[in-house]
């Protein structure tokens, strides 16, 4: 953050920190609440008392009590950045025994820590505060949810500290995926703060720039995160360059507005491709505050570009589907290759790695001769946004689509790119990402190499230790994650050449995961090649270019990739996901019910040119044969319904819909309307991440502004996503509008576009209507009541409604906005006050909407 010339107060973190714990917590359960001390009014209300005892299933005798960390020293100085590091552990617990019974879930727990920031003097002071590896905290009893679990430091919290002791209460969550499952299960936390100008500040190390090749930018987009530390709204009106030749402007055609305390990524566009590589570019952002007419400017920001050779891995930028600037690393093929078009070798990085790091950038240096465009996507974060799922996968598709623009920018004369042919590779979390893409987009994938990847998050760190809930509620949580259960979807990869590799001594992702997928693939008739490396662990130099793996690369890329294996018999297992694409030219548009997986079993009779298709839980689908080069059949036999395909339909889609237990062929796209759920709208609550432009956040109540700021901070922290905070009067659904998040406190929610939408919220409570007579459920308003649910908008867009009867209820609804993978939020959730400590056990209703936006039969509405 920018420094200011003002008297420097004396601020220090306390040297003593008070601890309380450990208490149980399940894998990613904390998103739901499940905070045991809320049953006592909350940790922030508990006085430190060495004699007090609390019940805990992890404590000796079932009890835990207060302890302390002594002589914890701060690092740095407030004029630059003051920080403190806490290494929290509970050695009195026999973790070894716990793990021997329950495995890695036993090493997850939650605990609490309390300390202070001491401020001398007689006036308050504003600081930019970061809490790395913390999900939830309270500063002077003001709660903050989201924190910075992975230490991205993208969205600081702007705090006003008062003279004296400012209390900091931390709720600490130990997550095996993020913190490891080997050794003593400790929690490492870093807290820091620095001075900030009461205006617009540049967030340190937040700039994304393209590389330069031969004095020319690889792409025209750049981005930097800015934070408004003023008490007033701020609008950026221009970007000022100190280099006359730079020709740089704001990417947004209009001003960019910031709420007080809000951080946003600001896109930049270079209209001239040539830059001064040596001196770089100095820029400043010109802005206005609502309460002032005069313009101000941020301190200058130096943009320094890296110069690369065209054949080396280099960074190019593009727009994520949400409209935010992203980047990937690209290594073009040799310009001497005589093939007219080459496929893309897509390498997905593991958790905690930047694509621009030396480790990722140079993973494939040992195989420079590959006949492919080598692409290292980033997924918008070192954790690939959401494990390469909704948000991360959208980044992959955007990176692929941007390669033709790179070819034009660079005047490339070598081989072109086949953007529909992907050779997907990845290590660790990237290996899991390779499974996700290969099971969801099989017609794009020409080969898969999954290295040391886990099969699914549920298999990686099992969902033990969650609070007790009814079996139906538990099944809904698991169903919300079914799109990521790759063990259930292995049949979708039949016909794809697959290579698996795993270190036999891997203590990060156990080789069981690769062995399991290998076994399931063989059972499904789509065998893989599996290489287990003796005496090797999770990562080692050359893991991406071992001898057998190099041979696999060559065997695929040296062949004619247009001649894909097309099995005569195949099965397509379809999760209710907007990320599911074609399988041998068949796309499932809608399932009958979101409560179950859909399936298609196909037998091709090439002599008769007849396809036999058996379906389960399918409502609408279409066939587009040129997608795969499959010879189009003359007829289909779909669940005993015979359908003749007109010869005039050779290059067009064949659309089918199930009506009255019969399939029929239909024409047109009129069914894609507000009354049906389709395209990007499909999936669970995380479908809200499939926005086609920056999020709009409607704040419909005065008391909801702080909650909106919290949601905005979490979106940029975990996804680098942009959100514009607006009032209902400022919002209008236009052609370029994306997804909307609406926050309401107490008052009635804005009327839905569908007048008979099955969930209605009024000042006196919530009404839920299930299909059928007398199926209306009324939940009267009461303290702590909150709800989160999706609603349809036009053009495949979605609205996420967050409503609370009071501030506690709204805070519980806000927790449901997806930030961490694996939490399992369905389409709608109604939370009671008890959810603060019971977690999912405190829900009053939850479930899914079907293809007609009606509540599904298996939803939980007691």
């Amino acid at each position: 953050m920018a420094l200011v010339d003002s008297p420097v107060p004396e601020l220090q973190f306390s040297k003593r920190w008070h601890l309380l714990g450990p208490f149980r917590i399940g894998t990613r359960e904390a998103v739901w609440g499940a905070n045991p001390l809320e049953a006592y009014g909350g940790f922030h209300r508990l006085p430190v008392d060495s004699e007090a005892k609390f019940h805990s299933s992890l404590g000796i005798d079932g009890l835990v009590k207060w302890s302390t960390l002594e002589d914890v020293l701060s690092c740095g100085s407030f004029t630059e950045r003051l920080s403190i590091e806490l290494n929290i552990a509970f050695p009195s617990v026999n973790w070894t025994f716990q793990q021997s019974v329950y495995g890695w879930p036993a090493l997850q727990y939650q605990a609490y820590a309390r300390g202070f920031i001491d401020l001398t003097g007689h006036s308050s002071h504003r600081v930019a505060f970061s809490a790395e590896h913390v999900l939830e905290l309270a500063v002077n009893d003001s709660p903050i949810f989201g924190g910075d679990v992975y230490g991205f430091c993208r969205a600081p919290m702007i705090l006003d500290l008062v003279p004296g002791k400012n209390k900091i209460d931390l709720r600490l969550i130990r997550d095996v995926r993020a913190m490891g499952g080997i050794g003593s299960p400790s929690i490492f936390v870093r807290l820091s703060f620095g001075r900030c100008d009461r205006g617009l500040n540049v967030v340190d190390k937040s700039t994304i720039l393209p590389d330069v090749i031969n004095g020319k930018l690889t792409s025209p987009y750049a981005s930097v995160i800015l934070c408004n530390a003023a008490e007033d709204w701020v609008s950026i009106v221009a970007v000022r360059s100190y280099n006359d030749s730079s020709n740089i402007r704001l990417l947004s055609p209009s001003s960019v507005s910031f709420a007080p305390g809000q951080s946003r990524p600001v896109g930049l566009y270079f209209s001239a491709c040539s830059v001064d590589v040596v001196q770089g570019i100095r820029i400043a952002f010109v802005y206005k505050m609502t309460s002032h007419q005069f313009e101000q400017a941020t301190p200058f920001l130096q943009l320094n570009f890296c110069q690369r050779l065209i054949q080396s891995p280099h960074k190019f930028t593009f727009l994520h589907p949400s409209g935010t600037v992203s980047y990937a690393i690209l290594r073009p093929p040799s310009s001497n290759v005589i093939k007219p078009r080459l496929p893309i070798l897509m390498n997905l990085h593991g958790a905690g790695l930047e694509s621009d790091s030396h480790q990722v950038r140079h993973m494939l240096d040992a195989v420079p001769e590959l006949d492919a465009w080598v692409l290292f996507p980033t997924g918008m974060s070192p954790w690939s946004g959401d494990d390469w799922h909704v948000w991360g996968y959208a980044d992959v598709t955007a990176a692929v689509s941007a390669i033709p623009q790179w070819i034009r920018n660079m005047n490339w004369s070598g081989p072109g790119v086949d953007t529909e042919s992907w050779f997907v590779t990845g290590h660790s979390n990237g290996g899991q990402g390779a499974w996700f893409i290969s099971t969801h987009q099989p017609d794009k994938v020409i080969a898969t190499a999954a290295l040391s990847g886990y099969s699914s998050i549920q298999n990686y760190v099992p969902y033990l230790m969650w609070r007790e809930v009814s079996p139906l509620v538990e099944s809904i949580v698991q169903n919300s994650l079914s799109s990521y259960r790759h063990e259930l979807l292995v049949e979708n990869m039949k016909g794809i050449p697959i290579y698996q590799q795993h270190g036999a001594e891997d203590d990060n992702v156990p080789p069981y995961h690769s062995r399991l997928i290998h076994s399931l693939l063989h059972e499904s008739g789509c065998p893989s090649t599996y290489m287990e490396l003796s005496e090797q662990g999770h990562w080692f130099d050359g893991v991406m270019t071992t001898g057998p793996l190099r041979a696999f690369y060559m065997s695929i890329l040296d062949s004619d990739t247009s001649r894909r294996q097309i099995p005569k018999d195949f099965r397509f297992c379809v999760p209710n996901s907007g990320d599911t694409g074609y399988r041998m030219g068949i796309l499932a548009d809608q399932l009958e019910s979101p409560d179950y997986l859909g399936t298609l079993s196909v037998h091709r009779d090439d002599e008769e040119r007849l396809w036999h298709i058996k379906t389960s839980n399918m409502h609408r689908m279409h066939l587009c044969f040129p997608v795969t080069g499959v010879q189009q059949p003359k007829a289909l036999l779909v669940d005993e319904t015979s359908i003749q395909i007109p010869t005039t339909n050779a290059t067009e889609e064949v659309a089918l819909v199930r009506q009255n237990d019969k399939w029929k062929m239909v024409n047109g796209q009129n069914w894609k309307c507000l009354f049906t759920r389709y395209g990007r709208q499909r999936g669970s609550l995380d479908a809200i991440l499939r926005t086609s432009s920056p999020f709009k956040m409607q704040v419909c109540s005065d008391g909801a502004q702080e909650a909106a700021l919290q949601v905005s901070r979490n979106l940029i922290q975990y996804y680098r996503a942009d959100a514009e905070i607006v009032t209902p009067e400022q919002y209008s659904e236009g052609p370029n509008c994306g997804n909307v998040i609406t926050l309401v406190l107490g008052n009635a929610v804005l009327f839905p576009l569908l007048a008979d939408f099955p969930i209605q919220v009024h000042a006196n409570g919530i009404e839920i209507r299930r299909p059928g007579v007398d199926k209306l459920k009324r939940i009267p308003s009461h303290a702590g009541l909150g709800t989160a649910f999706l609603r349809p908008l036009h053009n495949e867009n979605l609205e996420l409604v967050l409503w609370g009867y009071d501030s506690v209820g709204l805070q519980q609804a806000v927790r449901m906005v997806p930030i961490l993978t694996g939490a399992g939020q369905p389409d709608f959730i109604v939370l009671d006050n008890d959810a603060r400590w019971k977690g999912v056990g405190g829900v009053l209703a939850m479930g899914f909407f079907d293809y007609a936006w009606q509540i599904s039969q298996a939803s939980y509405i007691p």
Side-chain angles (χ1 to χ4, degrees):
M1 307 293 284
L3 303 183
V4 291
D5 295 325
S6 59
V8 180
E10 184 177 341
L11 287 92
Q12 285 293 333
F13 285 106
S14 54
K15 295 182 179 180
R16 171 183 290 181
W17 286 74
H18 300 278
L19 310 179
L20 183 57
F23 299 86
R24 69 165 170 161
I25 193 74
T27 303
R28 303 295 163 90
E29 184 188 16
V31 167
W32 289 90
N35 184 343
L37 295 188
E38 288 296 326
Y40 302 92
F43 176 68
H44 64 285
R45 294 182 178 175
L46 294 178
V48 176
D49 181 357
S50 59
E51 300 300 319
K53 296 181 180 180
F54 300 85
H55 294 282
S56 169
S57 57
L58 299 182
I60 298 174
D61 296 327
L63 299 170
V64 295
K65 58 183 182 178
W66 290 90
S67 59
T68 59
L69 280 178
E70 303 284 354
D71 299 323
V72 182
L73 299 179
S74 302
C75 302
S77 64
F78 181 56
T79 55
E80 296 181 357
R81 194 155 194 85
L82 186 67
S83 64
I84 192 170
E85 297 178 349
L86 309 175
N87 194 5
I88 297 166
F90 297 92
S92 62
V93 177
N94 189 343
W95 298 110
T96 302
F97 176 74
Q98 290 269 108
Q99 186 178 4
S100 70
V101 178
Y102 297 106
W104 277 347
L107 303 184
Q108 299 184 143
Y109 59 85
Q110 58 183 314
Y112 307 84
R114 175 175 298 162
F116 300 89
I117 298 177
D118 293 322
L119 171 61
T120 60
H122 302 285
S123 59
S124 61
H125 201 82
R126 178 159 290 196
V127 300
F129 181 71
S130 295
E132 299 177 51
H133 309 138
V134 175
L135 178 67
E136 196 167 352
L137 66 153
V139 179
N140 291 330
D141 294 337
S142 295
I144 302 170
F145 175 73
D148 188 5
V149 170
Y150 303 125
F152 293 158
C153 298
R154 290 173 170 172
M157 294 163 272
I158 304 303
L159 305 179
D160 286 315
L161 301 179
V162 298
K165 289 189 174 183
N166 293 265
K167 186 175 65 162
I168 304 176
D169 290 319
L170 306 176
R171 182 188 178 197
L172 306 171
I173 308 297
R174 189 175 196 285
D175 184 272
V176 164
R177 280 201 61 202
M179 302 177 183
I182 305 301
S184 175
S186 59
I187 301 175
F188 175 79
V189 173
R190 180 186 291 111
L191 308 177
S192 58
F193 58 80
R195 304 171 67 197
C196 58
D197 187 5
R198 288 179 180 258
L200 208 55
N201 294 257
V202 175
V203 175
D204 293 338
K205 301 178 181 179
S206 68
T207 304
I208 293 178
L209 294 172
D211 283 344
V212 172
I213 295 175
N214 297 326
K216 192 176 182 181
L217 294 172
T218 58
S219 46
Y221 303 107
S223 175
V224 62
I225 297 176
L226 300 178
C227 177
N228 177 19
E231 296 91 340
D232 203 353
W233 282 75
V234 163
S235 294
I236 298 178
V237 295
V239 58
R240 179 181 299 158
S241 171
Y242 294 84
N243 303 63
D244 293 337
S245 62
S246 62
N247 208 356
I248 185 173
R249 64 172 173 80
L250 292 174
L251 184 59
S252 173
S254 58
S255 63
V256 183
S257 298
F258 293 71
Q262 186 183 15
S263 296
R264 294 185 67 181
V266 178
L268 303 172
Y269 184 83
F270 296 93
S271 55
C273 293
S274 298
V275 297
D276 189 330
V277 179
V278 176
Q279 294 186 359
I281 300 173
R282 293 201 312 166
I283 65 171
F285 294 92
V286 181
Y287 64 94
K288 288 183 178 180
M289 292 188 182
T290 304
S291 58
H292 303 291
Q293 295 300 318
F294 59 88
E295 294 182 347
Q296 304 179 59
T298 62
F300 74 82
L301 173 66
Q302 180 72 23
L303 304 181
N304 293 319
F305 299 88
C306 292
Q307 188 170 13
R308 309 284 184 183
L309 299 175
I310 197 166
Q311 296 297 150
S312 67
H314 57 264
K315 183 190 296 185
F316 76 111
T317 54
F318 53 88
L319 296 182
H320 185 273
S322 66
T324 309
V325 175
S326 182
Y327 80 90
I329 303 298
L330 180 69
R331 192 184 82 187
S334 170
S335 59
N336 297 324
V337 176
I338 61 174
K339 297 178 182 178
R341 291 198 310 166
L342 296 178
I344 296 170
L345 178 66
M346 182 184 300
N347 192 328
L348 308 180
H349 65 74
L353 294 176
E354 274 287 357
S355 291
D356 196 25
S357 66
H358 184 274
Q359 179 177 334
V360 174
R361 183 190 287 266
H362 297 287
M363 276 182 178
L364 295 174
D365 281 4
V367 282
E369 68 279 18
L370 297 176
D371 287 354
W373 292 81
V374 179
L375 181 70
F376 300 89
T378 183
M380 296 287 278
S381 84
W383 278 69
S384 61
D386 54 352
D387 293 342
W388 300 111
H389 296 163
V390 177
W391 188 261
Y393 174 69
D395 187 65
V396 168
T397 61
V400 169
S401 299
I403 296 177
Q405 182 62 50
W406 179 96
I407 291 175
R408 292 188 288 270
N409 289 346
M410 294 289 101
N411 297 318
W412 173 256
S413 60
V417 60
D418 184 352
T419 58
E420 294 298 315
S421 296
W422 302 356
F423 186 153
V424 184
T425 73
H427 177 267
S428 192
N429 193 32
Q432 178 273 153
W435 294 135
F436 177 77
I437 291 177
S438 300
T439 56
H440 286 67
Q441 297 289 339
D443 277 8
K444 291 182 181 290
V445 179
I446 61 172
T448 302
L451 316 180
S452 305
Y454 60 92
S455 54
S456 66
I457 187 173
Q458 295 98 318
N459 268 0
Y460 192 8
V461 185
Y463 279 45
L464 304 176
M465 306 294 180
W466 277 54
R467 292 283 305 216
E468 290 70 27
V469 298
S470 73
L472 178 55
V473 170
E474 184 176 2
S475 71
I476 292 172
V477 172
Q478 291 298 325
N479 192 18
S480 302
L481 302 171
S482 61
S483 185
Y484 316 121
R485 287 297 300 269
H486 308 125
E487 308 95 326
L488 302 176
L489 310 176
V490 294
E491 294 172 303
N492 296 355
M493 296 185 283
K494 187 175 183 180
I496 299 175
I498 297 173
Y499 176 90
Q500 296 178 255
Q501 179 180 288
H502 217 118
E505 304 300 323
D506 192 337
D507 59 4
N508 187 311
V509 178
Y512 167 79
H513 293 272
S514 288
R515 296 169 185 169
L516 173 63
I517 296 293
H518 179 60
S519 175
L520 293 174
L521 284 167
H522 274 264
E523 292 175 4
S524 302
C526 39
S528 66
T529 299
Y530 178 46
M531 182 66 64
E532 193 161 301
L533 306 177
S534 62
E535 300 182 359
Q536 293 290 0
H538 187 61
W539 172 264
F540 57 90
D541 290 339
V543 67
M544 299 299 302
T545 55
T546 61
L549 184 52
R550 292 174 66 165
F552 183 69
Y553 292 150
M554 299 304 178
S555 69
I556 300 299
L557 298 175
D558 288 348
S559 63
D560 185 354
T561 56
S562 65
R563 297 180 180 177
R564 306 184 185 186
Q565 299 180 37
I566 304 174
K568 286 192 174 182
D569 297 275
F570 61 90
R571 182 178 167 89
F572 193 17
C573 189
V574 184
N576 186 36
S577 168
D579 298 317
T580 305
Y582 288 92
R583 172 65 166 150
M584 299 300 171
I586 304 176
L587 181 67
D589 294 300
Q590 293 175 322
L591 302 183
E592 283 285 345
S593 170
D595 300 325
Y596 317 97
L597 295 172
T599 59
L600 291 163
S601 298
V602 180
H603 170 71
R604 296 189 300 119
D605 186 335
D606 290 340
E607 291 185 3
E608 298 292 332
R609 292 183 63 184
L610 172 66
W611 283 29
H612 300 260
I613 303 176
K614 295 289 186 181
T615 74
S616 173
N617 194 34
M618 300 298 301
H619 177 70
R620 187 183 294 270
M621 59 184 174
H622 71 265
L623 295 79
C624 188
F625 301 102
V627 170
T628 56
V630 179
Q631 184 182 29
Q632 180 169 326
K634 293 181 179 179
L636 306 173
L637 187 61
V638 188
D639 295 334
E640 309 307 323
T641 300
S642 180
I643 297 175
Q644 298 296 315
I645 299 177
T647 56
T648 57
N649 207 34
T651 60
E652 298 178 6
E653 294 181 353
V654 177
L656 306 174
V657 65
R658 186 183 181 93
Q659 293 180 348
N660 300 319
D661 291 330
K662 296 288 185 180
W663 287 93
K664 72 173 186 176
M665 192 160 58
V666 293
N667 297 315
Q669 301 293 320
N670 293 336
W671 65 275
K672 293 183 177 181
C673 62
L674 196 64
F675 301 95
T676 60
R677 190 175 186 181
Y678 65 100
R680 296 192 308 270
Q681 296 174 337
R682 294 176 297 163
S684 298
L685 201 73
D686 57 6
I688 194 67
L689 298 176
R690 294 193 197 95
T691 184
S692 57
S693 66
F695 291 99
K696 296 280 188 180
M697 299 185 61
Q698 282 193 100
V699 182
C700 300
S701 307
D702 292 338
Q705 180 69 38
E706 185 61 34
L709 179 62
Q710 179 175 286
V711 174
S712 173
R713 184 190 301 121
N714 291 342
L715 288 172
I716 189 172
Q717 188 81 277
Y718 293 97
Y719 304 116
R720 201 183 174 101
D722 191 17
E724 180 184 6
I725 299 176
V726 298
T727 63
E729 293 75 22
Q730 295 170 322
Y731 168 74
S732 61
E733 188 184 3
N736 297 320
C737 182
N739 290 347
V740 177
I741 300 175
T742 299
L743 297 97
V744 187
L745 181 62
N747 299 324
V749 174
L750 298 177
F751 291 108
L753 293 179
L754 289 180
D756 59 347
F757 192 73
I759 296 182
Q760 303 283 339
V761 180
H762 308 285
N764 58 352
I766 302 170
E767 293 182 352
I768 304 175
R769 184 180 299 279
R770 298 177 67 171
V773 182
D774 298 328
K775 294 291 185 178
L776 182 64
K777 170 77 173 183
R778 291 186 174 90
I779 303 176
S781 292
H782 58 273
L785 180 65
T787 182
F789 59 91
L790 298 174
R791 294 197 303 199
L793 298 176
H794 296 291
N795 302 318
E796 290 186 54
N797 292 325
L798 285 169
E799 178 186 24
L800 173 59
V801 177
L802 305 173
W803 176 87
Y805 172 74
D806 52 21
S807 60
V808 173
L810 180 59
Q811 185 71 16
Q812 294 197 116
V814 163
R815 300 176 74 98
M816 295 297 99
V817 179
I819 56 173
L820 302 181
T821 55
Q825 302 97 318
D827 295 341
F828 69 90
I829 305 153
V830 181
L831 294 161
D832 191 62
N833 188 56
D834 289 358
R836 290 186 297 149
W837 62 89
K838 291 183 179 179
V840 183
V843 299
L844 298 181
M846 64 191 302
F848 302 97
F849 299 116
D850 65 11
Y851 68 88
W853 287 105
Q854 298 300 307
I855 291 175
S856 69
Q857 291 298 319
S859 294
Y860 173 74
I861 307 177

